Amino acid sequence: MPELSKEVLISEKEIAKRVDELAEEISNRQDGRPLLVVGILKGSFIFLADLVRRLTCPVTLEFIRVLMKDEREEGSPRIIKYDVPFTVEGKDVLIVEDIFDTGITIDYLLDHFANQSPASTQVCVLLDKTETHKVDVKVDYVGFEIPNKYVIGYGLDFEEKYRDLPYISWLDNVTWPLSS
Ligand code: 5GP
């Protein structure tokens, strides 16, 4: 059975400080140009809400939902369950993701948007599990590099629980991808 660690991996205070820094970096690079922020549901929703409120460039917001065809298979192809309802042609796009694990989701979305001729596409992830990358994708902004643990909290779930934790912790005894 998965057990919630009693320890905090990343505290509320550390998250808030890093989100401030990321927002400043993104705003500076954007230099007043409008940004279309695309949040990947559901795990990014709290990070995204905190980040967009700190950006100083004009922001519009959309969401996309990507699922694994088979949650038991690590390299499973991704499918789009819910998409941005227009093409992103000519726009500066910032993809916001909770976690870079294998990188397959980000890689898939970069291809998806590249086909629509955006002005630019950047990627911002809150967490980066540096030990588990399977594909080499360019990520522009990383909140925190973390060890290979199953993390929860601040939007991230296990079976839809723990998203509401204000900090990031981890669960022991979780095999990921989820086994049947
Ligand atoms: P990818 O392997 O494509 O980089 O990540 C796919 C998705 O797996 C992430 O968006 C996230 O929803 C989920 N994921 C990967 N590692 C973890 C983890 O440690 N905790 C949670 N809650 N989700 C994870």
Side-chain angles (χ1 to χ4, degrees):
M1 272 295 284
E3 280 166 51
L4 178 62
S5 162
K6 304 272 182 298
E7 290 173 56
V8 173
L9 184 65
I10 310 171
S11 71
E12 266 186 272
K13 209 170 152 191
E14 288 170 304
I15 295 171
K17 179 169 176 282
R18 189 69 189 119
V19 173
D20 276 348
E21 290 166 358
L22 290 171
E24 192 181 343
E25 224 186 298
I26 295 166
S27 302
N28 286 346
R29 205 196 284 189
Q30 207 53 26
D31 198 20
R33 291 186 306 277
L35 188 61
L36 171 61
V37 178
V38 179
I40 307 182
L41 292 170
K42 301 180 194 172
S44 72
F45 82 107
I46 293 182
F47 174 43
L48 181 83
D50 284 345
L51 186 71
V52 292
R53 283 180 291 173
R54 289 164 169 84
L55 293 174
T56 56
C57 54
V59 164
T60 51
L61 187 63
E62 291 295 337
F63 291 96
I64 194 160
R65 187 145 191 227
V66 179
L67 301 180
M68 294 165 85
K69 267 193 184 150
D70 182 352
E71 281 223 329
R72 293 160 301 179
E73 184 202 330
E74 185 174 60
S76 170
R78 286 359 184 209
I79 44 168
I80 293 184
K81 180 82 179 164
Y82 173 80
D83 202 350
V84 174
F86 48 79
T87 72
V88 301
E89 186 177 350
K91 298 186 189 297
D92 286 332
V93 178
L94 178 72
I95 299 172
V96 177
E97 169 67 313
D98 54 359
I99 187 161
F100 177 0
D101 180 15
T102 63
I104 295 172
T105 304
I106 296 169
D107 191 44
Y108 174 78
L109 285 182
L110 284 171
D111 265 7
H112 173 70
F113 288 126
N115 291 331
Q116 302 173 24
S117 310
S120 67
T121 311
Q122 297 177 69
V123 178
C124 176
V125 296
L126 175 66
L127 305 171
D128 181 357
K129 279 190 197 173
T130 54
E131 296 161 37
T132 56
H133 296 180
K134 293 270 189 292
V135 286
D136 189 23
V137 286
K138 187 179 152 283
V139 170
D140 302 271
Y141 310 96
V142 173
F144 302 91
E145 292 188 351
I146 60 164
N148 186 13
K149 289 176 181 291
Y150 191 88
V151 287
I152 41 102
Y154 195 64
L156 290 108
D157 77 312
F158 175 71
E159 295 182 341
E160 296 304 324
K161 296 192 292 281
Y162 309 113
R163 292 193 196 275
D164 53 326
L165 282 182
Y167 54 86
I168 292 168
S169 183
W170 71 90
L171 292 177
D172 289 313
N173 306 321
V174 174
T175 29
W176 175 252
L178 305 174
S179 49
S180 51

